mmCIF file of all heavy atoms in Angstrom:
data_model
loop_
_atom_site.group_PDB
_atom_site.id
_atom_site.type_symbol
_atom_site.label_atom_id
_atom_site.label_comp_id
_atom_site.label_asym_id
_atom_site.label_seq_id
_atom_site.Cartn_x
_atom_site.Cartn_y
_atom_site.Cartn_z
ATOM 1 N N HIS A 41 -4.161 -3.324 -34.492
ATOM 2 C CA HIS A 41 -4.354 -4.491 -33.627
ATOM 3 C C HIS A 41 -5.463 -5.388 -34.168
ATOM 4 O O HIS A 41 -5.363 -6.611 -34.157
ATOM 5 C CB HIS A 41 -4.721 -4.036 -32.211
ATOM 6 C CG HIS A 41 -3.552 -3.737 -31.350
ATOM 7 N ND1 HIS A 41 -3.078 -4.615 -30.421
ATOM 8 C CD2 HIS A 41 -2.747 -2.657 -31.300
ATOM 9 C CE1 HIS A 41 -2.027 -4.079 -29.815
ATOM 10 N NE2 HIS A 41 -1.808 -2.886 -30.328
ATOM 11 N N ARG A 91 2.378 -23.314 -8.209
ATOM 12 C CA ARG A 91 1.913 -23.908 -6.956
ATOM 13 C C ARG A 91 0.443 -23.582 -6.704
ATOM 14 O O ARG A 91 -0.023 -22.488 -6.976
ATOM 15 C CB ARG A 91 2.768 -23.445 -5.778
ATOM 16 C CG ARG A 91 2.992 -21.957 -5.686
ATOM 17 C CD ARG A 91 3.965 -21.639 -4.562
ATOM 18 N NE ARG A 91 4.738 -20.447 -4.788
ATOM 19 C CZ ARG A 91 4.334 -19.216 -4.513
ATOM 20 N NH1 ARG A 91 3.143 -19.011 -3.999
ATOM 21 N NH2 ARG A 91 5.091 -18.172 -4.739
ATOM 22 N N SER A 112 6.078 -36.950 9.860
ATOM 23 C CA SER A 112 5.373 -36.115 10.840
ATOM 24 C C SER A 112 6.343 -35.399 11.774
ATOM 25 O O SER A 112 6.168 -35.376 12.983
ATOM 26 C CB SER A 112 4.311 -36.908 11.600
ATOM 27 O OG SER A 112 4.814 -37.620 12.665
ATOM 28 N N PRO A 121 2.363 -20.096 7.271
ATOM 29 C CA PRO A 121 2.005 -18.754 7.748
ATOM 30 C C PRO A 121 0.585 -18.641 8.300
ATOM 31 O O PRO A 121 0.397 -18.086 9.374
ATOM 32 C CB PRO A 121 2.205 -17.864 6.526
ATOM 33 C CG PRO A 121 3.144 -18.612 5.661
ATOM 34 C CD PRO A 121 2.856 -20.058 5.898
ATOM 35 N N GLN A 123 -1.197 -21.092 9.390
ATOM 36 C CA GLN A 123 -1.416 -22.233 10.301
ATOM 37 C C GLN A 123 -2.603 -23.083 9.868
ATOM 38 O O GLN A 123 -3.541 -23.305 10.639
ATOM 39 C CB GLN A 123 -1.602 -21.727 11.732
ATOM 40 C CG GLN A 123 -0.371 -21.033 12.291
ATOM 41 C CD GLN A 123 0.727 -22.001 12.686
ATOM 42 O OE1 GLN A 123 0.566 -22.785 13.591
ATOM 43 N NE2 GLN A 123 1.836 -21.981 11.968
ATOM 44 N N ILE A 127 -1.344 -31.907 12.005
ATOM 45 C CA ILE A 127 -0.764 -33.243 11.871
ATOM 46 C C ILE A 127 -0.936 -34.003 13.186
ATOM 47 O O ILE A 127 -0.613 -33.480 14.252
ATOM 48 C CB ILE A 127 0.745 -33.180 11.551
ATOM 49 C CG1 ILE A 127 0.995 -32.291 10.334
ATOM 50 C CG2 ILE A 127 1.299 -34.577 11.299
ATOM 51 C CD1 ILE A 127 2.453 -31.978 10.138
ATOM 52 N N THR A 128 -1.457 -35.210 13.080
ATOM 53 C CA THR A 128 -1.458 -36.102 14.240
ATOM 54 C C THR A 128 -0.360 -37.123 14.027
ATOM 55 O O THR A 128 -0.366 -37.845 13.023
ATOM 56 C CB THR A 128 -2.806 -36.839 14.380
ATOM 57 O OG1 THR A 128 -3.842 -35.912 14.079
ATOM 58 C CG2 THR A 128 -2.980 -37.402 15.760
ATOM 59 N N ARG A 129 0.574 -37.169 14.976
ATOM 60 C CA ARG A 129 1.664 -38.140 14.830
ATOM 61 C C ARG A 129 1.173 -39.499 15.309
ATOM 62 O O ARG A 129 0.470 -39.590 16.325
ATOM 63 C CB ARG A 129 2.861 -37.682 15.671
ATOM 64 C CG ARG A 129 4.122 -38.451 15.405
ATOM 65 C CD ARG A 129 5.324 -37.740 15.967
ATOM 66 N NE ARG A 129 5.129 -37.416 17.383
ATOM 67 C CZ ARG A 129 5.958 -36.642 18.064
ATOM 68 N NH1 ARG A 129 7.010 -36.103 17.469
ATOM 69 N NH2 ARG A 129 5.749 -36.393 19.337
ATOM 70 N N MET A 153 -2.819 -20.357 1.891
ATOM 71 C CA MET A 153 -2.530 -19.236 1.007
ATOM 72 C C MET A 153 -1.606 -19.608 -0.149
ATOM 73 O O MET A 153 -1.071 -18.729 -0.825
ATOM 74 C CB MET A 153 -2.008 -18.039 1.795
ATOM 75 C CG MET A 153 -0.646 -18.192 2.404
ATOM 76 S SD MET A 153 -0.348 -17.052 3.790
ATOM 77 C CE MET A 153 -0.404 -15.477 2.995
ATOM 78 N N CYS A 155 1.372 -20.503 -0.445
ATOM 79 C CA CYS A 155 2.645 -19.787 -0.468
ATOM 80 C C CYS A 155 3.812 -20.705 -0.771
ATOM 81 O O CYS A 155 4.857 -20.258 -1.211
ATOM 82 C CB CYS A 155 2.875 -19.077 0.859
ATOM 83 S SG CYS A 155 3.109 -20.187 2.257
ATOM 84 N N GLU A 160 8.864 -25.910 0.595
ATOM 85 C CA GLU A 160 10.241 -25.422 0.521
ATOM 86 C C GLU A 160 11.074 -25.929 1.688
ATOM 87 O O GLU A 160 12.260 -26.231 1.527
ATOM 88 C CB GLU A 160 10.206 -23.891 0.531
ATOM 89 C CG GLU A 160 11.541 -23.250 0.268
ATOM 90 C CD GLU A 160 11.437 -21.731 0.315
ATOM 91 O OE1 GLU A 160 10.329 -21.186 0.111
ATOM 92 O OE2 GLU A 160 12.464 -21.097 0.570
ATOM 93 N N TYR A 161 10.468 -26.016 2.880
ATOM 94 C CA TYR A 161 11.262 -26.364 4.061
ATOM 95 C C TYR A 161 11.118 -27.819 4.478
ATOM 96 O O TYR A 161 11.677 -28.223 5.482
ATOM 97 C CB TYR A 161 10.920 -25.408 5.209
ATOM 98 C CG TYR A 161 11.447 -24.030 4.926
ATOM 99 C CD1 TYR A 161 10.631 -23.032 4.405
ATOM 100 C CD2 TYR A 161 12.801 -23.742 5.104
ATOM 101 C CE1 TYR A 161 11.136 -21.780 4.100
ATOM 102 C CE2 TYR A 161 13.314 -22.493 4.798
ATOM 103 C CZ TYR A 161 12.472 -21.523 4.293
ATOM 104 O OH TYR A 161 12.988 -20.295 3.983
ATOM 105 N N LYS B 1352 2.846 -17.513 16.700
ATOM 106 C CA LYS B 1352 2.883 -18.728 15.896
ATOM 107 C C LYS B 1352 4.277 -19.330 16.003
ATOM 108 O O LYS B 1352 5.226 -18.599 16.245
ATOM 109 C CB LYS B 1352 2.564 -18.387 14.440
ATOM 110 C CG LYS B 1352 1.114 -18.026 14.244
ATOM 111 C CD LYS B 1352 0.878 -17.636 12.803
ATOM 112 C CE LYS B 1352 -0.542 -17.122 12.629
ATOM 113 N NZ LYS B 1352 -0.816 -16.637 11.288
ATOM 114 N N PHE B 1354 1.308 -22.280 16.395
ATOM 115 C CA PHE B 1354 0.392 -22.667 17.451
ATOM 116 C C PHE B 1354 0.645 -24.124 17.841
ATOM 117 O O PHE B 1354 0.866 -24.979 16.984
ATOM 118 C CB PHE B 1354 -1.058 -22.508 17.000
ATOM 119 C CG PHE B 1354 -1.422 -21.096 16.649
ATOM 120 C CD1 PHE B 1354 -2.274 -20.823 15.589
ATOM 121 C CD2 PHE B 1354 -0.915 -20.026 17.381
ATOM 122 C CE1 PHE B 1354 -2.616 -19.522 15.270
ATOM 123 C CE2 PHE B 1354 -1.248 -18.723 17.070
ATOM 124 C CZ PHE B 1354 -2.103 -18.465 16.008
ATOM 125 N N ARG B 1357 -1.334 -27.495 16.422
ATOM 126 C CA ARG B 1357 -1.231 -28.022 15.061
ATOM 127 C C ARG B 1357 -0.437 -29.325 14.990
ATOM 128 O O ARG B 1357 -0.621 -30.120 14.084
ATOM 129 C CB ARG B 1357 -0.561 -26.992 14.148
ATOM 130 C CG ARG B 1357 -1.269 -25.654 14.064
ATOM 131 C CD ARG B 1357 -2.677 -25.842 13.526
ATOM 132 N NE ARG B 1357 -3.298 -24.605 13.090
ATOM 133 C CZ ARG B 1357 -4.053 -23.819 13.832
ATOM 134 N NH1 ARG B 1357 -4.298 -24.139 15.091
ATOM 135 N NH2 ARG B 1357 -4.587 -22.714 13.348
ATOM 136 N N TRP B 1358 0.441 -29.522 15.914
ATOM 137 C CA TRP B 1358 1.346 -30.650 15.870
ATOM 138 C C TRP B 1358 1.865 -30.914 17.269
ATOM 139 O O TRP B 1358 2.071 -29.965 17.995
ATOM 140 C CB TRP B 1358 2.522 -30.305 14.926
ATOM 141 C CG TRP B 1358 3.564 -31.363 14.842
ATOM 142 C CD1 TRP B 1358 3.566 -32.452 14.013
ATOM 143 C CD2 TRP B 1358 4.752 -31.455 15.621
ATOM 144 N NE1 TRP B 1358 4.672 -33.211 14.229
ATOM 145 C CE2 TRP B 1358 5.428 -32.620 15.217
ATOM 146 C CE3 TRP B 1358 5.316 -30.687 16.631
ATOM 147 C CZ2 TRP B 1358 6.643 -33.043 15.776
ATOM 148 C CZ3 TRP B 1358 6.525 -31.080 17.198
ATOM 149 C CH2 TRP B 1358 7.173 -32.239 16.770
ATOM 150 N N PRO B 1359 2.073 -32.088 17.750
ATOM 151 C CA PRO B 1359 1.920 -33.394 17.078
ATOM 152 C C PRO B 1359 0.538 -34.006 17.220
ATOM 153 O O PRO B 1359 0.328 -35.110 16.731
ATOM 154 C CB PRO B 1359 2.958 -34.244 17.812
ATOM 155 C CG PRO B 1359 3.045 -33.659 19.174
ATOM 156 C CD PRO B 1359 2.700 -32.225 19.072
ATOM 157 N N GLY B 1361 -2.503 -32.672 16.147
ATOM 158 C CA GLY B 1361 -3.372 -31.715 15.484
ATOM 159 C C GLY B 1361 -4.573 -32.372 14.837
ATOM 160 O O GLY B 1361 -4.446 -33.360 14.122
ATOM 161 N N ARG B 1471 0.259 -9.713 -0.313
ATOM 162 C CA ARG B 1471 -1.148 -9.332 -0.385
ATOM 163 C C ARG B 1471 -1.392 -7.891 0.049
ATOM 164 O O ARG B 1471 -2.523 -7.498 0.244
ATOM 165 C CB ARG B 1471 -1.977 -10.320 0.442
ATOM 166 C CG ARG B 1471 -2.079 -11.666 -0.258
ATOM 167 C CD ARG B 1471 -2.247 -12.814 0.696
ATOM 168 N NE ARG B 1471 -2.350 -14.080 -0.010
ATOM 169 C CZ ARG B 1471 -1.313 -14.812 -0.416
ATOM 170 N NH1 ARG B 1471 -0.083 -14.382 -0.211
ATOM 171 N NH2 ARG B 1471 -1.497 -15.960 -1.042
ATOM 172 N N CYS B 1558 3.874 -13.740 -5.286
ATOM 173 C CA CYS B 1558 5.132 -14.375 -5.661
ATOM 174 C C CYS B 1558 5.875 -15.000 -4.485
ATOM 175 O O CYS B 1558 6.450 -16.060 -4.627
ATOM 176 C CB CYS B 1558 6.026 -13.373 -6.353
ATOM 177 S SG CYS B 1558 5.235 -12.715 -7.816
ATOM 178 N N ASN B 1559 5.889 -14.343 -3.324
ATOM 179 C CA ASN B 1559 6.594 -14.893 -2.164
ATOM 180 C C ASN B 1559 7.979 -15.368 -2.582
ATOM 181 O O ASN B 1559 8.368 -16.497 -2.337
ATOM 182 C CB ASN B 1559 5.775 -16.057 -1.580
ATOM 183 C CG ASN B 1559 6.384 -16.622 -0.321
ATOM 184 O OD1 ASN B 1559 7.170 -15.959 0.334
ATOM 185 N ND2 ASN B 1559 6.040 -17.848 -0.001
ATOM 186 N N ARG B 1562 13.761 -14.128 0.032
ATOM 187 C CA ARG B 1562 14.080 -14.683 1.341
ATOM 188 C C ARG B 1562 15.126 -13.777 1.980
ATOM 189 O O ARG B 1562 15.795 -13.024 1.276
ATOM 190 C CB ARG B 1562 14.641 -16.109 1.209
ATOM 191 C CG ARG B 1562 13.663 -17.106 0.634
ATOM 192 C CD ARG B 1562 12.588 -17.478 1.628
ATOM 193 N NE ARG B 1562 11.611 -18.362 1.001
ATOM 194 C CZ ARG B 1562 10.534 -17.946 0.347
ATOM 195 N NH1 ARG B 1562 10.272 -16.668 0.236
ATOM 196 N NH2 ARG B 1562 9.707 -18.809 -0.187
ATOM 197 N N ARG B 1585 10.393 -6.366 -26.805
ATOM 198 C CA ARG B 1585 8.957 -6.129 -26.770
ATOM 199 C C ARG B 1585 8.572 -4.853 -26.024
ATOM 200 O O ARG B 1585 7.901 -3.984 -26.574
ATOM 201 C CB ARG B 1585 8.227 -7.314 -26.145
ATOM 202 C CG ARG B 1585 6.722 -7.074 -26.199
ATOM 203 C CD ARG B 1585 5.915 -8.246 -25.789
ATOM 204 N NE ARG B 1585 4.510 -7.914 -25.894
ATOM 205 C CZ ARG B 1585 3.713 -8.353 -26.855
ATOM 206 N NH1 ARG B 1585 4.202 -9.109 -27.803
ATOM 207 N NH2 ARG B 1585 2.456 -8.007 -26.876
ATOM 208 N N GLU B 1592 4.103 2.386 -28.254
ATOM 209 C CA GLU B 1592 2.761 2.276 -28.828
ATOM 210 C C GLU B 1592 1.717 2.888 -27.889
ATOM 211 O O GLU B 1592 0.829 3.625 -28.316
ATOM 212 C CB GLU B 1592 2.443 0.800 -29.069
ATOM 213 C CG GLU B 1592 1.176 0.574 -29.847
ATOM 214 C CD GLU B 1592 0.833 -0.898 -29.935
ATOM 215 O OE1 GLU B 1592 1.312 -1.561 -30.871
ATOM 216 O OE2 GLU B 1592 0.108 -1.391 -29.048
ATOM 217 N N SER B 1696 18.632 -21.605 3.555
ATOM 218 C CA SER B 1696 17.554 -20.766 4.052
ATOM 219 C C SER B 1696 16.951 -21.401 5.302
ATOM 220 O O SER B 1696 16.693 -22.594 5.349
ATOM 221 C CB SER B 1696 16.504 -20.629 2.954
ATOM 222 O OG SER B 1696 15.423 -19.916 3.435
#
Side-chain angles (χ1 to χ4, degrees):
Chain A
H41 274 260
R91 49 186 151 84
S112 83
Q123 296 284 295
I127 307 169
T128 320
R129 191 165 53 189
M153 69 201 295
C155 66
E160 188 181 337
Y161 290 98
Chain B
K1352 289 177 186 176
F1354 299 143
R1357 301 300 195 268
W1358 177 86
R1471 287 152 180 85
C1558 301
N1559 184 21
R1562 296 286 176 271
R1585 183 172 181 105
E1592 189 186 272
S1696 176

